Amino acid sequence: MDAVIEVKDLVKEYIIVKKESGLRGSIKSLLFPKKTKFNGVNGISFSISPGEIVGYIGPNGAGKSTTIKMLTGILHPTAGSIKVCGISPQADRKAVVRKLGVVFGQRTQLYWDLRLGESFELLRRIYQIDQVSYEENLAVLTDVLKLHDFMNTPVRQLSLGQRMRGDIAASMLHSPSVLFLDEPTIGLDADAKHAIRNFIKEINRTRGVTVILTTHDLDDVEQLCSRIIVVNNGKIVEDGPIGSIIHKLTPHRMLVVELQEPCQDLTTPHATVIKQEGLKIWYQFEKESISASELIAALSQKLPIQDISVKEPNVEDAIREVYKTTATV
C-alpha cells in the first residue's frame, strides 16, 4: 500500500542572531550581527500509511510544529523531500491543501464575528464544495460533534470546547483524506475531550481518514493512536506501535502488596521496595528477570498477603523514559 505521507531526510535550518545586552551591544549586533545556525528539524524520515492514526509527540522545542508546518506547506524545508498524497506541499500547496484538514488548538479558522453556521458557509465557498456534498458533510459533522445547540451562535461567544468542535468540523467540510490535529483537546473538560476523541475514531473508521496527532495529553495518544513517533532535538528517537515501545522502554513492573499484619522484613532479592504506606508495599521488579507470578509465589512464602495487584506500565511511563534518555544526549 502506497504511503499517504512520505518524508525523507527532512531538515529545517534557522539562522539565529545573537544579541548583546545594552545600547552598545544592540548597535554592535545591528552592525555586526553574530549569526549561528540551528536545525529545528534534523534529518527526519518516516512514512504513514492510509488510515493510520499516528501520535507525533515530543517535548517543547523538539521539532513537532516545524515538521507539521512543512507537511502542510506553510514552511519550506532546507533539505529533504515531502510527499503528501503523492504531491509536494512546497511545489503545489493548493493541491495539497485540498486533501488536508488542519486544526491548531491555539488558533481558529472560524470567523470571530460570524455565526458558526455562517463560518461554515464561507468555508464552503473558499473550498468550492458543491452544495450536495457540503450539506451531507455538515449533517454528519453536526450530528457526531453535537453542534446543533450553537450553530447560530457567533464564534466569539462560543466556549473553548464548542469552538474546538466547530474548528474540527470546519477542517472536515471538504472531505480531506488527511487530518492534522495539533493539541485538539488542550484546555477542554472531560465531556468535550470525549466528544472529540469519539469523532476522530469515527471518521477514521467510516471514512478511512489518516490522522496525525501532536499533543502533550498522553490520554489522547493512548486512546487514539496505534503508532507513535517520538521526536526530540529535531530527530526521531522512537517510531513504532505503542505496545512495542512501552515494552522496550519500560523494563520494570510494579507489584502492589497489601499485608494482613505488619512485618519486619519486607525485602526480597527479586525486587526492590519502592514505597510503603501502612500495610501496603510497592515492589519494583524487572520483567526479564522474574515474572509477576514467580515474584508473587516468592513473597507469599514469607509475607501474610491480604491482596495483591500488578501495575503495568503505560504510554506515559514510556514517554517519560524517552525524555529522560534524550535529555542526556
Side-chain angles (χ1 to χ4, degrees):
M1 186 180 292
D2 293 335
V4 70
I5 295 176
E6 190 75 47
V7 174
K8 292 183 179 178
D9 304 320
L10 194 63
V11 175
K12 181 59 182 178
E13 184 180 271
Y14 294 101
I15 305 297
I16 299 175
V17 177
K18 185 178 181 181
K19 294 184 179 181
E20 297 184 22
S21 60
L23 178 60
R24 184 189 296 272
S26 297
I27 295 173
K28 183 180 177 182
S29 297
L30 182 63
L31 298 175
F32 307 101
K34 292 183 179 179
K35 298 181 179 179
T36 58
K37 293 180 179 180
F38 167 74
N39 284 345
V41 171
N42 192 9
I44 281 177
S45 297
F46 61 85
S47 63
I48 295 176
S49 299
E52 279 195 280
I53 302 182
V54 179
Y56 193 70
I57 61 178
N60 291 329
K64 305 186 301 298
S65 294
T66 300
T67 305
I68 298 301
K69 287 175 182 176
M70 288 189 283
L71 289 173
T72 55
I74 296 172
L75 292 178
H76 283 238
T78 306
S81 65
I82 302 170
K83 294 288 184 183
V84 178
C85 301
I87 307 167
S88 166
Q90 285 69 43
D92 194 349
R93 190 183 176 206
K94 284 187 177 180
V96 167
V97 165
R98 290 188 174 277
K99 297 180 179 294
L100 299 181
V102 183
V103 176
F104 292 102
Q106 305 279 12
R107 302 182 183 94
T108 183
Q109 58 189 310
L110 304 172
Y111 294 85
W112 203 244
D113 293 318
L114 298 182
R115 291 181 293 108
L116 181 60
E118 291 174 327
S119 284
F120 292 158
E121 178 60 30
L122 186 55
L123 288 168
R124 181 191 74 78
R125 298 182 184 188
I126 290 172
Y127 281 105
Q128 298 179 342
I129 308 168
D130 68 85
Q131 192 67 35
V132 173
S133 298
Y134 169 75
E135 289 178 1
E136 288 178 352
N137 284 347
L138 185 58
V140 171
L141 293 166
T142 300
D143 182 52
V144 176
L145 286 168
K146 306 293 187 291
L147 306 178
H148 308 83
D149 294 340
F150 50 91
M151 187 66 80
N152 292 316
T153 303
V155 170
R156 66 177 180 275
Q157 294 179 12
L158 297 178
S159 69
L160 178 59
Q162 290 171 335
R163 181 182 65 74
M164 185 57 64
R165 280 185 274 170
D167 262 313
I168 292 176
S171 72
M172 293 299 299
L173 284 171
H174 59 295
S175 303
S177 53
V178 180
L179 181 61
F180 290 105
L181 297 171
D182 183 25
E183 300 286 0
T185 62
I186 188 169
L188 302 186
D189 61 29
D191 286 343
K193 287 184 179 184
H194 180 71
I196 288 172
R197 288 168 183 161
N198 280 349
F199 172 74
I200 294 168
K201 292 175 186 176
E202 182 69 11
I203 60 166
N204 176 258
R205 182 183 65 83
T206 59
R207 301 190 181 190
V209 175
T210 304
V211 180
I212 295 87
L213 172 70
T214 66
T215 182
H216 289 291
D217 188 334
L218 295 180
D219 285 339
D220 287 346
V221 175
E222 203 157 19
Q223 292 190 33
L224 294 171
C225 303
S226 56
R227 170 187 171 194
I228 55 175
I229 300 173
V230 186
V231 292
N232 203 0
N233 299 319
K235 297 181 178 181
I236 291 177
V237 292
E238 293 292 341
D239 180 1
I242 282 187
S244 65
I245 289 179
I246 292 173
H247 183 78
K248 173 185 174 184
L249 296 173
T250 51
H252 299 103
R253 296 288 186 272
M254 197 74 71
L255 187 72
V256 184
V257 176
E258 187 172 354
L259 303 179
Q260 296 175 5
E261 57 189 40
C263 289
Q264 293 296 322
D265 184 13
L266 301 174
T267 61
T268 172
H270 311 294
T272 304
V273 176
I274 299 299
K275 184 171 66 169
Q276 180 179 2
E277 291 180 358
L279 296 177
K280 188 173 285 190
I281 304 101
W282 282 258
Y283 289 94
Q284 181 175 279
F285 64 98
E286 291 190 11
K287 62 187 180 186
E288 299 298 333
S289 301
I290 189 171
S291 68
S293 58
E294 289 170 337
L295 179 58
I296 292 169
L299 289 172
S300 298
Q301 293 179 5
K302 64 176 295 186
L303 298 175
I305 295 176
Q306 174 75 28
D307 193 19
I308 200 160
S309 62
V310 180
K311 181 181 179 297
E312 294 292 335
N314 56 24
V315 67
E316 187 172 353
D317 298 328
I319 298 306
R320 191 182 297 115
E321 288 301 317
V322 173
Y323 291 177
K324 193 185 301 179
T325 302
T326 54
T328 60
V329 173

